[in-house]
């Protein structure tokens, strides 16, 4: 977790789906960031400015970002809530996401085509898993 500075949040790589999950938190954890993708995502969320143009400088702004994504599914699928990790509103949602083994696409589907405009979480998961960077589609 990063506490103080710009905002309070926790981030980790979802073990079954492979993308990073970011949650607003006030509780400090002593775990270190072990993955390169995780360092990338934590860097995106801890800087005062980011490539996505969002203001995540406080816990309230990060929480508002997660609620905005939930409240505006059309905007979400049009890329208005792009980020490098899947943002959830609190620690309970974070832990639920981290335990969830199911993937919401039960049949063979090109998920990247469906999610490419929503954010970089799925793309980064594929890039880091395959060690192939710069490829977007």
């Amino acid at each position: 977790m990063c506490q103080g500075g710009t905002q309070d949040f926790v981030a980790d790589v979802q073990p079954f789906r492979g993308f990073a999950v970011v949650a607003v938190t006030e509780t400090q954890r002593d775990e270190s960031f072990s993955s390169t993708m995780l360092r990338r995502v934590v860097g995106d969320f801890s800087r005062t400015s980011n490539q996505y143009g969002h203001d995540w400088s406080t816990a309230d702004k990060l929480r508002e970002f997660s609620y905005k994504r939930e409240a505006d599914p059309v905007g979400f699928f049009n890329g208005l809530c792009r980020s490098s990790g899947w943002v959830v509103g609190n620690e309970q949602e974070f832990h639920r996401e981290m335990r969830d083994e199911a993937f919401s696409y039960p049949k063979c589907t090109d998920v990247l085509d469906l999610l490419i405009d929503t954010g970089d979480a799925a793309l980064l998961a594929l890039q880091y898993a395959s060690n192939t960077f710069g490829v977007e589609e």
Side-chain angles (χ1 to χ4, degrees):
M1 187 186 96
C2 298
Q3 189 166 4
T6 58
Q7 70 270 338
D8 298 325
F9 66 91
V10 63
D12 207 345
V13 175
Q14 208 282 349
F16 305 103
R17 297 187 207 144
F19 57 78
V21 179
V22 180
V24 177
T25 183
E26 298 294 331
T27 305
Q28 190 167 10
R29 291 173 43 171
D30 291 330
E31 298 174 19
S32 64
F33 302 116
S34 58
S35 105
T36 305
M37 180 176 71
L38 193 53
R39 279 187 285 241
R40 153 70 196 275
V41 173
V42 168
D44 289 345
F45 282 86
S46 62
R47 291 185 188 96
T48 54
S49 64
N50 57 72
Q51 69 189 45
Y52 301 100
H54 300 299
D55 182 358
W56 298 316
S57 61
T58 67
D60 287 338
K61 289 178 180 179
L62 186 56
R63 189 175 293 108
E64 181 182 320
F65 177 81
S66 75
Y67 295 152
K68 179 182 174 184
R69 187 200 70 228
E70 294 294 325
D72 184 7
V74 173
F76 169 70
F77 281 103
N78 287 326
L80 297 178
C81 298
R82 291 183 70 87
S83 66
S84 56
W86 183 254
V87 181
V88 295
N90 58 53
E91 284 186 82
Q92 182 178 359
E93 291 178 50
F94 174 81
H95 291 295
R96 188 181 71 238
E97 280 291 328
M98 296 306 290
R99 287 189 308 268
D100 191 2
E101 295 182 38
F103 199 72
S104 58
Y105 299 95
K107 59 184 181 178
C108 185
T109 304
D110 187 349
V111 177
L112 188 57
D113 277 346
L114 295 172
L115 298 178
I116 195 72
D117 293 329
T118 65
D120 291 340
L123 177 62
L124 287 173
L126 289 172
Q127 288 177 339
Y128 279 92
S130 65
N131 202 28
T132 307
F133 302 93
V135 177
E136 294 199 11
E137 288 193 46

